[in-house]
Amino acid sequence: MIAHEARELAITHASDWRERMLNGSARATERIDEIFGIDVFGQRTMQQRLPKDVFKRLMRTIDLGEALDPQVADVVAAAMKDWAVENGATHFTHWFQPLTGLTAEKHDSLVAPDGHGGMIFALSGADLSLGEPDASSFPSGGLRATFEARGYTAWDASSPAFLMRGENNVTLCIPTAFVTWAADSVDQKTPLLRSMDAISKQAMRILKIFGTDAGVARVFTTVGAEQEYFLVDKHLYHARPDLLTCDRTLFGAKPPKGQQLEDHYFGSIPPRVLAFMTDVERELYRVGIPVKTRHNEVAPGQFEIAPTFETANIACDHQMIIMETLKRVALRYGMVAILHEKPFAGLNGSGKHNNWSMSTDTGVNLLDPQDETHTNMQFLVFLCAVIRAVDTHADLIRASIASANNDHRLGANEAPPAIISIFLGDMLMDIVEQLEKGKPSRTIKGGAINLGALSLPQISRHSGDRNRTSPFAFTGNKFEFRAVGSSATAAWPNTILNTIVAESLDDLATALEKAVGAKPTQAKLESAVRSILKDVVKKHKRVIFNGDNYTEKWHKEAEKRGLPNLKDSVSALPNFITKKSLALFKKYKVLNDAEMTSRANIFIHRYVDQLLIESEQMVLMGRTMILPAALAHQTHLADAVSSTEAAGVDCPDIRASLAEFVKKVQHFNAALNALQEADNFRDADGWETAKYLRDQVIPLMNNLREHVDALELEVAHDIWPLPSYRDLLFIK
Ligand code: ADP
Ligand code: MG
């Protein structure tokens, strides 16, 4: 009945979006360049509103990470408050990213009593710089006991404050890091910032060796994350308890038409969806997010939004805002945006392709091959540093994207496998092979010039070269890490990437510095680069694979090469707390042992909690929705048989299908009982429970699902209690 009503509502309301679109059309005439960044307290606004010397000092904090003077903070806070109030803000919040994987905010009013019975707007430097939310309920993985629950949020001046506009409210959001009283990080931003410092320091050493550091103050990593998502009608979504509680369907038979025709990919965008996208983009432009691309994805009901890349910490903050905005704006159009990695079995899941590179603060992309000799050698050093890092720490890369959600996607046929390998493409592969041979011919003849000059036109010609099956692909002037999950925060995988590459750069810089000595000459440098990179390639080329990652052959080959294949989160997550990993994160001051251990604990607890919720939800739906529907259908059939036979007509076929159906219901019921009974094992720290869930409970969940999906294909449509895949998937 509920499913039926939801269907009716979905159909009626599908037309309401037209009205929305008309209402929105006034805004749609605004020029993008006029609204871009209008709700951001960005550089231009700061320059306009701050005294010159305050602005200068703030910029030193932003660009160089210098500590912010309290007096400067007071002036900045006052200007920020005036700007926010002029734009309608009544409250401010320290916006932070706790380890829940979401963002958190606690709003405080911008007004305070003036002491004479009235109110004045006020924001002090202290309010701006430091907050102390009562944050005892956020996960700390054992870092903080509740009796010492103090947590502090500290302004990240490098990520600009912005206005969050609700239906009738405007809030000033100050991006912050979140730490315990002992300054241990319990958030996503702090380690990301630390990892950016680490990689900057090591990359600067390489630039210095090549003499390209003039005028460069630091190196940033850059991130452009492509976000995939599904859109589902709101009424249908709410009629499915599994979507409501788990953001994915726990049951659902394959529809006759799924994505076989691949007619959705890059197809014309349905008008309602386009109206929604336009609205999302306008909101994002206002807060300074440079959205660039929109299109249909492969599965029906699946779409993508991608901004232009930015420095990693800003890109990751923006990524959080993008996800929130998708969710919030979808409701206006009677839809729900699903960010889960695998909301529908049998259809493509959603990823967040994480494009990653390194760039100087003067705007030179260090993974962009250029035509100057020394820069090309430099490019090869950076390239080989990434190859070395990914091979040395493939386990950490895999662990950085581990979640119960992403387990459904990785290794499925549309997503990269759990084996981490690098795609280079033919041209670059060729150059890497030459490096390995250390073949003097090309390098000696024209020195490194030839090496570089050869590479450039080839690379740019082939930058369109694609291998969609690779988890980590070089795509012209950046790497595309494709295994990141759609609902994940980009901050964490980028923290891992930055840290492991920092280590490789450190290693290469040390070797190069030693080889070229105090008086480097071009010749010394060239031969040092050649010999050092030769070793790197020899040792680490096993991680390079340019073929089809989906094939069974590759899995075998990868095993021969000794590459780890961590099939699920339970196998992947312990790699965060190996000796090797703890030493790495400590050495580069990204996370100390306690911080890293707490994170691993939080991740495994999240895995456990999520699976327990899913299995309980399955049992509940099975017991209270599916079983009654199946029995109603059984009764229908039985009534049909008995009344037909009572009328003196024989109906052996119907009688036989009744018998068959009864059997199916029995089997389903047994599967339901089995899952319900299994769900009882717990250990204190969660690691054993996680294994138990993976090995015992997930198979029972899969088994139950099979039975339910078989029933769905037989039970009368008007009795089946859940909107089906064919209802859900074709948003119009
Ligand atoms: P695709 O064809 O895979 O969609 P695009 O060329 O459209 O790839 O780019 C995808 C993303 O890569 C965009 O977000 C883009 O800004 C980003 N990107 C481009 N250059 C860089 C870079 N140097 N560093 C990080 N991301 C980048
Ligand atoms: Mg891409």
Side-chain angles (χ1 to χ4, degrees), residues 226 304 353 355 466 468 480 482:
E226 307 162 48
E304 178 179 307
H353 292 175
N355 295 274
R466 285 286 145 132
R468 297 211 152 261
E480 186 171 344
R482 300 213 183 91

Side-chain angles (χ1 to χ4, degrees), residues 156-172:
D156 165 21
S158 62
S159 186
F162 61 95
L163 298 176
M164 185 168 64
R165 291 184 183 275
E167 295 308 322
N168 64 352
N169 50 74
V170 183
T171 307
L172 169 65

Side-chain angles (χ1 to χ4, degrees), residues 28 35 57 312 362 390 410 454 481 570 583 618:
I35 57 168
R57 287 172 69 185
T362 50
V390 173
L410 294 179
L454 271 177
F481 182 20
V570 186
M618 270 187 130

Side-chain angles (χ1 to χ4, degrees), residues 251-287:
F251 303 117
K254 210 167 141 315
K257 182 179 182 232
Q259 61 191 47
Q260 304 94 324
L261 301 178
E262 304 217 325
D263 51 353
H264 188 66
Y265 190 53
F266 281 14
S268 69
I269 301 171
R272 178 187 184 182
V273 174
L274 189 54
F276 152 79
M277 286 174 167
T278 307
D279 227 1
V280 166
E281 286 163 6
R282 276 170 192 279
E283 294 221 354
L284 295 176
Y285 291 142
R286 291 186 73 95
V287 291

Side-chain angles (χ1 to χ4, degrees), residues 228-230 257-267 295-304 346-350 414 468 729-730:
E228 293 176 340
Y229 59 96
F230 279 86
K257 182 179 182 232
Q259 61 191 47
Q260 304 94 324
L261 301 178
E262 304 217 325
D263 51 353
H264 188 66
Y265 190 53
F266 281 14
H295 61 79
N296 289 3
E297 260 302 328
V298 173
Q302 194 187 24
F303 304 92
E304 178 179 307
L347 295 176
N348 275 14
S350 299
E414 85 289 356
R468 297 211 152 261
L729 281 170
F730 299 91

Side-chain angles (χ1 to χ4, degrees), residues 221-226 266 292-293 295 304 306-310 353-359 365 367 466 468 475 477-480 482:
T221 47
T222 49
V223 168
E226 307 162 48
F266 281 14
K292 177 94 178 151
T293 311
H295 61 79
E304 178 179 307
T308 301
F309 71 94
E310 301 175 279
H353 292 175
N354 189 87
N355 295 274
W356 178 94
S357 189
M358 293 168 269
S359 162
N365 179 355
L367 286 176
R466 285 286 145 132
R468 297 211 152 261
T475 47
N477 57 5
K478 61 188 185 318
F479 278 97
E480 186 171 344
R482 300 213 183 91

